[in-house]
Amino acid sequence: MREKKKNVRRYLATGVLSVSLLSVSLLAGMFPLQENKAEAATVFSDTYKAPWAVPSIENLYKKGLLKGTAPKEFSPNKSVTRAEFAAVLERAVDRPTKVNKFPFTDVSKSKWYYSAIKGAYQMGIVKGVSATRFAPERPITREEAAGIIAHTFNYSHSGKALTYKDKGKISSWAVDGVKAVTEKKIFAGDAGYFHPQKALTRAEMAVVIQTVLYGSLPAAAPKPKVASRSSYRLDELFQRTVQPLLGVPYRWGGASPSGFDCSGFTQYVYKKLDVSLPRTASQQFEKGTKVSTSSMQPGDLVFFDTGGGSISHVGIYMGAGKMAHAASGQGSVKINSIDWYLNHYRVVGVKRYL
């Protein structure tokens, strides 16, 4: 812990640190962390949800600064709470106590964040939402984060007017902080908007951390749609292809985003990956390489007999015990646990096409 605080002071002295440390442990849970040699892309299955943040997430994961929220999950769009934000600052900053009191009645001693919020408040880093309330479990907004960061790390600004289209929505107390982090290019707007009341996400935090500690990274280079199982992480590829189709209505004979039946859905997804499949489930079953249910991998098609004695349903195995399919009984494209289908219907076979 003492070594970490020395490093933080070094960053502060050189002007390199900003919003970053403030979220390093928010996302990681501890500081410092050991370096991870594995690529984040081989660990997290959901970073495709924030592709613009993937280089930052991968770099910081390799450096041991970020962890996931669950096995194979980073939750890039999950918001950060005020308690988590305060906890990171409390770990990152080594300052003498300015006040001995701790007035917040909504911060229980039994909560994990009690000592962190108390420490951050007594160092003069964070404030409450009122004289007696901190709102620890409320998501922190972008303008709150900007203000806290600018205050904590003594960021100033030139006085130039903000150019955000929604600058009028920025709270008066947050204007100076937003100006400071904007001029230092720590925070960026979205199509000219700052979105001051929007909750800060883990993906945004990752990019901020990367920018502050190591500089910004170029956007991820386009990857080939598909070549082989060894050339691309197929579970992420299928997730990226299937996710936009969730909720598309089930339609008998449908093979487009206006409506799918089960084999129309699998044909459409594979077409997006430059793989041509026949139209019907029984025809699709005639293609591909046979594999066992115990050897299924993301992208494999699972064919079921739902009671008529022949193939009557097909879905895409997504990994982690999940299957994507156009479900007639549920009325739309869904991702469900595959176990229920394996236990209730006869598996005719599993085929691999990639």
Side-chain angles (χ1 to χ4, degrees):
M1 177 67 72
R2 201 45 47 184
E3 180 63 27
K4 171 211 64 177
K5 304 249 186 190
K6 289 181 181 178
N7 289 338
V8 171
R9 284 198 292 271
R10 173 166 56 84
Y11 283 124
L12 288 170
T14 58
V16 176
L17 180 64
S18 101
V19 71
S20 139
L21 248 357
L22 135 233
S23 90
V24 161
S25 48
L26 184 182
L27 301 176
M30 61 178 64
F31 194 167
L33 299 171
Q34 295 182 344
E35 180 172 340
N36 295 308
K37 296 188 181 299
E39 294 287 338
T42 66
V43 177
F44 304 122
S45 64
D46 60 353
T47 53
Y48 70 91
K49 297 178 181 178
W52 48 271
V54 169
S56 296
I57 294 170
E58 290 187 344
N59 189 50
L60 294 177
Y61 175 79
K62 286 194 296 184
K63 293 180 180 299
L65 297 177
L66 302 185
K67 283 186 175 182
T69 56
K72 297 180 74 64
E73 294 182 8
F74 182 76
S75 302
N77 296 321
K78 183 179 180 182
S79 60
V80 176
T81 67
R82 286 171 51 83
E84 290 171 323
F85 202 77
V88 177
L89 283 177
E90 191 275 335
R91 294 185 186 106
V93 179
D94 187 13
R95 291 182 179 175
T97 297
K98 290 186 176 182
V99 292
N100 291 317
K101 65 178 182 177
F102 187 62
F104 304 124
T105 58
D106 61 346
V107 181
S108 171
K109 289 184 179 180
S110 64
K111 296 292 187 178
W112 67 265
Y113 48 68
Y114 175 80
S115 60
I117 295 175
K118 182 178 181 180
Y121 174 78
Q122 292 182 335
M123 284 190 289
I125 294 172
V126 297
K127 297 180 180 180
V129 297
S130 72
T132 58
R133 292 185 61 253
F134 188 79
E137 297 180 16
R138 176 172 69 72
I140 192 164
T141 65
R142 286 169 55 84
E143 68 174 10
E144 285 178 320
I148 291 173
I149 293 163
H151 165 73
T152 300
F153 300 107
N154 299 314
Y155 286 161
S156 59
H157 60 84
S158 66
K160 293 181 180 179
L162 291 168
T163 59
Y164 296 118
K165 297 175 183 178
D166 57 351
K167 61 183 179 181
K169 296 182 179 180
I170 299 173
S171 300
S172 58
W173 54 263
V175 170
D176 285 338
V178 173
K179 285 183 177 180
V181 297
T182 298
E183 287 188 9
K184 290 188 176 294
K185 298 182 179 180
I186 296 167
F187 275 69
D190 178 15
Y193 292 85
F194 185 76
H195 301 296
Q197 276 78 50
K198 185 179 179 181
L200 200 67
T201 68
R202 287 168 54 85
E204 290 174 324
M205 292 290 280
V207 172
V208 168
I209 295 169
Q210 171 62 41
T211 302
V212 172
L213 293 182
Y214 307 107
S216 59
L217 288 173
K223 296 181 180 179
K225 282 188 174 180
V226 68
S228 69
R229 287 196 160 261
S230 62
S231 67
Y232 199 90
R233 186 164 178 258
L234 285 182
D235 55 348
E236 182 174 343
L237 182 62
F238 276 95
Q239 288 281 357
R240 184 181 301 163
T241 307
V242 167
Q243 282 289 332
L245 303 176
L246 295 180
V248 170
Y250 179 88
R251 182 172 300 162
W252 176 259
S256 75
S258 63
F260 289 113
D261 63 16
C262 63
S263 58
F265 171 69
T266 55
Q267 182 190 48
Y268 181 88
V269 170
Y270 266 87
K271 184 177 180 180
K272 285 290 186 180
L273 306 180
D274 288 342
V275 175
S276 178
L277 291 184
R279 175 61 184 87
T280 68
S282 59
Q283 291 171 338
Q284 292 173 6
F285 184 70
E286 297 301 317
K287 305 292 183 180
T289 302
K290 182 179 179 180
V291 296
S292 67
T293 54
S294 62
S295 301
M296 290 189 299
Q297 295 183 20
D300 291 346
L301 296 191
V302 188
F303 296 85
F304 298 93
D305 168 12
T306 59
S310 61
I311 294 173
S312 52
H313 190 59
V314 60
I316 303 172
Y317 182 63
M318 302 294 286
K322 302 292 185 180
M323 179 177 72
H325 59 142
S328 59
Q330 299 177 69
S332 64
V333 174
K334 300 285 188 180
I335 293 181
N336 298 126
S337 170
I338 197 171
D339 288 343
W340 189 92
Y341 293 87
L342 295 177
N343 292 330
H344 287 77
Y345 298 128
R346 181 176 71 89
V347 177
V348 179
V350 180
K351 289 297 186 76
R352 182 169 299 162
Y353 305 88
L354 294 170

